[in-house]
Structures are given as structure tokens and as C-alpha cells.
Amino acid sequence: LTIGLMAAAWAANRYPRFSDRVGWVGRRTLPIYVMHFPIIATVGGASVRFLGSLDTSHPLAIAFTPLLAAVSVGLSLALHIGLVRIGGGWLFAVPRWRKAAATVAPLPAENPA
């Protein structure tokens, strides 16, 4: 993770157009990033409970992870579309960082009496 972040920062500094493209991808994948884990936990847990243990001898073991990933991406995007249509688009708005309106001044030093 650290190496990936350092490489992305270097590439964004070296190639400014790269950061625009990464931002474009990030804005479109935010719903997947935000919602995939609860979906994986719910669907994955339910399927393991329904199918039983998925050890390597189970016939669905090799397809389970790619199928779970595809289901989580599809459900994330469908949930995002539904939430945006009912007015929940604010849930996915990236906040605009602003400079603080007032600065904090240090307290004056006390004189020992």
C-alpha cells in the first residue's frame, strides 16, 4: 500500500494529467469502494451458511471469489443508482476542503508571580 501510494504521488507530480485521470476513476469507483464490504460480508456469509464450508474440495470453491466480487460490484452500483434517484446523492459527494476561517493564536505565556 505504501509503495503504491508513493508511486501514485510520484506519477501525479511527474505527469499532472495522470492525477486528473486517477481522480476521474476515483469519482466513478467511490460507490463500489464505500459499499462493497457490507455486501461481501452479507452475501458471502449467507452463501457460506447456505452452501456449507467452501474448502478446496467444494465444486464452487474456485468460482466463489470471482462470483462474489462480481456480485458485490453489481449490487454496489445498483444500490448507488437507486440511492441517487431517491435523492441520496449527497452520500457520495466528495467534500470540498476549505481553509479555516479563523486561525488559532497561542495563549500568552503566564508570568510567574
Side-chain angles (χ1 to χ4, degrees), residues 5 11 13-14 17 19 21 23 26 28 35 38 59 67 69 75 78 83 86 89 93 112:
L5 290 173
N13 189 29
R14 176 102 167 122
R17 295 180 76 197
S19 62
R21 291 182 182 135
R28 274 130 187 98
M35 294 184 285
L67 286 173
L75 285 176
L83 286 170
I86 64 170

Side-chain angles (χ1 to χ4, degrees), residues 28-29 31-32 35 39 72-82:
R28 274 130 187 98
T29 58
I32 296 169
M35 294 184 285
I39 292 171
S72 70
V73 167
L75 285 176
S76 294
L77 292 175
L79 188 57
H80 174 254
I81 290 168

Side-chain angles (χ1 to χ4, degrees), residues 21-89:
R21 291 182 182 135
V22 170
W24 182 86
V25 170
R27 284 187 296 278
R28 274 130 187 98
T29 58
L30 178 64
I32 296 169
Y33 175 74
V34 169
M35 294 184 285
H36 81 283
F37 188 74
I39 292 171
I40 285 177
T42 305
V43 173
S47 61
V48 168
R49 185 171 176 93
F50 176 73
L51 297 171
S53 176
L54 287 175
D55 60 3
T56 55
S57 64
H58 196 283
L60 292 177
I62 197 163
F64 182 75
T65 301
L67 286 173
L68 185 59
V71 166
S72 70
V73 167
L75 285 176
S76 294
L77 292 175
L79 188 57
H80 174 254
I81 290 168
L83 286 170
V84 168
R85 285 190 180 167
I86 64 170

